[in-house]
Amino acid sequence: MRPVKKIYKPMNINDITIIDDDKLKKAITAAALGNAMEWFDFGVYGFLAFVLGKVFFPDASPSVQMIASLGTFSVPFLVRPLGGIVCGILGDRYGRQKILAITIIIMSLGTCSIGLIPSYQSIGIMSPILLLIAKLVQGFSVGGEYSGAAIFVAEYSPDRKRGLMGSWLDFGSIAGFVIGAGVVVLISSMISDVQFERWGWRIPFFLALPLGAIGLYLRHELEETPAFQKHVEDMEAESKVNLRNSPKLSYREVAGKYWKSLMICVGIVIVTNVTYYVLLTYMPSYLSHNLHYSENHGVLIIIAVMVGMLFVQPIIGMTSDKIGRRPFILGGSTGLFLLSYPAFLMIQTNSVGFIFIGLLILAILLNCFIGVMASILPAIFPTQIRYSALAIAFNISILIAGMTPTIVAWMVEATHNLNMPAFYLMGISLIGLWTGIRMPETANKPLRGETPTASDRNEAKEILSEHFDTIEQKVEEIDEKIADLERRRQILIDQHPKLD
């Protein structure tokens, strides 16, 4: 059977999608708010780990209480790949907007329900079991949340601003974490320790309900992304059937054809989230339990560092649109290997200034990763499998990274070495270095398999002109290679008596 010849046609200005600025702002706001709520829960849970250990595991020693509460934080990551599979399949079939509306409902209900669970003293073993169920519900919804939100923003963003626009997604993460930590500090400062352990810790979880309602409203009002709409139109034009009935690649075929993209995704997510969980989930317990530092004092320092991260985040995203994404993955990984140990030595000095500097070093390195992750990951997969492939790879990676607080806490308790978190980060940084070397540069390029997108018609004209310049350059390079081959051919002919 002869292969079908692919027909290429010249690109024109109408092939470049112009992104509506108002729709872009709404998409970023809605996506970032959902991400903020996810990390609001992580922030609250991380800063309440010491109290939750007492509430749900009162019979254990303080060390075991902390490990158990952090373990409950980690277990839901086991169900995230399932959530990623379900949400990814549905997201590639029915659209991104619908699935993101569903995930935020499930996530807000799961978070709010934690505040309703009676203590261990009231209902015994059912208390930690209900806590685990609530965390599993969260894990399922979060399995499709970040991937879908990153894709939603990426598919709405102009090619030249995708780094900046994507950085706002994790801006929402940090903001949610800061708000969660700030709420914990505010409530604990207003009531006594006894009142806080009895009922005060529940209040932050109840706030997830109104936050979820706002996020649902914003997401419900959004239109589907231009990239997915175009994908639907193309599929219907080619197959003349509804998209739901079109053939799909199996996961085995996806893994075989896109294994390089999957490995890059796994590497970026692991190095980013391990750093994230060490700094923002494990560190509060490390300061209070292992270093015996004042809980509120330590929390305030971390909050100050995170507020600084908020200002750095969009700067890194915008800079990546100028110099590329790879320099930040490579630079962040190198810094993690060289500076993690000095940073933890500073954190252990019991000096507020040195603790702040140590945390700030880790925070800036984390910014290098989260400032570009949301713009890299969606760009390495084609539209028809983007949600499902990214969600599965992302959540398998999170399954590994999510165990970080529990593993690091156990390592410190088992070895009595306070530097074990630094050694753990140094080992993880090697994954980041390998990924940075292997990954393709995605800055200022269309999403994989897509036509370019622009902010306005003038930018579209510039992109078209650059596209033609690139073609001309490639043609010149091919002409040079042909001329060189002709010369080599003639040399060989001249050496043969029967060839002319």
Side-chain angles (χ1 to χ4, degrees), residues 27 55 94 111 118 121 158 167 172 197 207 211 226 284 288 344 358 364 376 392 397-398 404 408 438 467 484 499:
V55 174
Y94 297 102
T111 302
Q121 292 179 340
S167 69
E197 289 183 17
L207 295 177
L211 287 175
S288 61
F344 270 86
I364 292 174
I376 294 173
I392 293 170
S397 312
I398 285 289
T404 295
V408 173
R438 300 287 297 178
H467 173 71
D484 182 60
L499 295 177

Side-chain angles (χ1 to χ4, degrees), residues 311-336:
F311 292 98
V312 175
Q313 180 74 2
I315 293 174
I316 287 180
M318 181 171 59
T319 306
S320 77
D321 286 325
K322 307 296 182 183
I323 67 173
R325 327 284 194 220
R326 293 180 73 236
F328 287 101
I329 298 297
L330 289 169
S333 300
T334 303
L336 206 60

Side-chain angles (χ1 to χ4, degrees), residues 391-433:
I392 293 170
F394 186 91
N395 287 293
I396 289 175
S397 312
I398 285 289
L399 184 63
I400 299 170
M403 301 298 173
T404 295
T406 308
I407 292 173
V408 173
W410 174 82
M411 290 171 66
V412 172
E413 292 298 326
T415 64
H416 303 289
N417 186 339
L418 296 176
N419 294 314
M420 292 308 294
F423 299 145
Y424 194 76
L425 288 174
M426 291 170 68
I428 292 297
S429 71
L430 300 178
I431 297 176
L433 284 169

Side-chain angles (χ1 to χ4, degrees), residues 87-407:
C87 293
I89 292 173
L90 296 177
D92 281 336
R93 180 167 297 186
Y94 297 102
R96 289 65 161 116
Q97 183 264 346
K98 295 180 179 66
I99 303 306
L100 286 175
I102 293 172
T103 58
I104 201 168
I105 294 173
I106 299 174
M107 189 162 52
S108 59
L109 292 176
T111 302
C112 180
S113 66
I114 295 177
L116 299 172
I117 301 173
S119 67
Y120 186 93
Q121 292 179 340
S122 299
I123 60 173
I125 191 64
M126 282 302 298
S127 180
I129 290 175
L130 290 174
L131 174 63
L132 181 60
I133 292 173
K135 296 300 291 181
L136 289 172
V137 170
Q138 286 181 321
F140 182 88
S141 64
V142 171
E145 170 62 32
Y146 184 87
S147 303
I151 290 169
F152 202 81
V153 171
E155 291 184 347
Y156 253 115
S157 299
D159 295 336
R160 293 184 176 182
K161 296 180 181 178
R162 188 167 292 117
L164 174 61
M165 299 302 135
S167 69
W168 289 111
L169 188 62
D170 282 294
F171 181 95
S173 301
I174 304 169
F177 217 105
V178 169
I179 294 171
V183 168
V184 171
V185 172
L186 179 64
I187 295 173
S188 64
S189 64
M190 294 174 63
I191 59 179
S192 67
D193 291 343
V194 174
Q195 291 174 319
F196 189 75
E197 289 183 17
R198 284 182 180 174
W199 54 266
W201 64 269
R202 301 178 184 275
I203 298 175
F205 293 107
F206 292 149
L207 295 177
L209 213 53
L211 287 175
I214 296 171
L216 177 62
Y217 171 76
L218 290 174
R219 290 184 175 184
H220 182 69
E221 294 297 307
L222 288 173
E223 294 181 9
E224 189 52 79
T225 66
F228 188 79
Q229 289 182 21
K230 182 177 179 296
H231 172 61
V232 172
E233 292 169 1
D234 291 345
M235 290 295 293
E236 290 179 341
E238 290 177 10
S239 61
K240 302 298 182 182
V241 295
N242 191 280
L243 178 65
R244 300 177 193 178
N245 299 323
S246 62
K248 299 289 181 180
L249 288 174
S250 68
Y251 284 114
R252 179 177 294 180
E253 291 172 321
V254 170
K257 188 174 182 180
Y258 301 103
W259 68 270
K260 290 183 180 179
S261 296
L262 292 169
M263 293 303 295
I264 289 167
C265 177
V266 168
I268 291 174
V269 174
I270 286 178
V271 71
T272 302
N273 284 276
V274 166
T275 309
Y276 215 137
Y277 293 138
V278 167
L279 179 62
L280 302 183
T281 301
Y282 173 70
M283 190 57 69
S285 298
Y286 179 79
L287 289 174
S288 61
H289 177 72
N290 296 106
L291 301 184
H292 309 291
Y293 204 66
S294 166
E295 288 187 41
N296 284 346
H297 208 171
V299 167
L300 289 173
I301 294 175
I302 294 177
I303 290 176
V305 169
M306 292 171 67
V307 170
M309 289 176 66
L310 288 173
F311 292 98
V312 175
Q313 180 74 2
I315 293 174
I316 287 180
M318 181 171 59
T319 306
S320 77
D321 286 325
K322 307 296 182 183
I323 67 173
R325 327 284 194 220
R326 293 180 73 236
F328 287 101
I329 298 297
L330 289 169
S333 300
T334 303
L336 206 60
F337 184 80
L338 297 176
L339 300 177
S340 292
Y341 185 70
F344 270 86
L345 290 180
M346 292 181 186
I347 292 170
Q348 296 166 31
T349 60
N350 204 31
S351 165
V352 173
F354 281 118
I355 291 174
F356 181 82
I357 293 173
L359 293 173
L360 184 63
I361 290 172
L362 296 177
I364 292 174
L365 295 175
L366 176 57
N367 269 128
C368 289
F369 302 128
I370 61 175
V372 297
M373 182 171 69
S375 56
I376 294 173
L377 300 185
I380 60 178
F381 296 105
T383 303
Q384 68 269 23
I385 63 158
R386 184 170 292 137
Y387 203 151
S388 52
L390 177 53
I392 293 170
F394 186 91
N395 287 293
I396 289 175
S397 312
I398 285 289
L399 184 63
I400 299 170
M403 301 298 173
T404 295
T406 308
I407 292 173

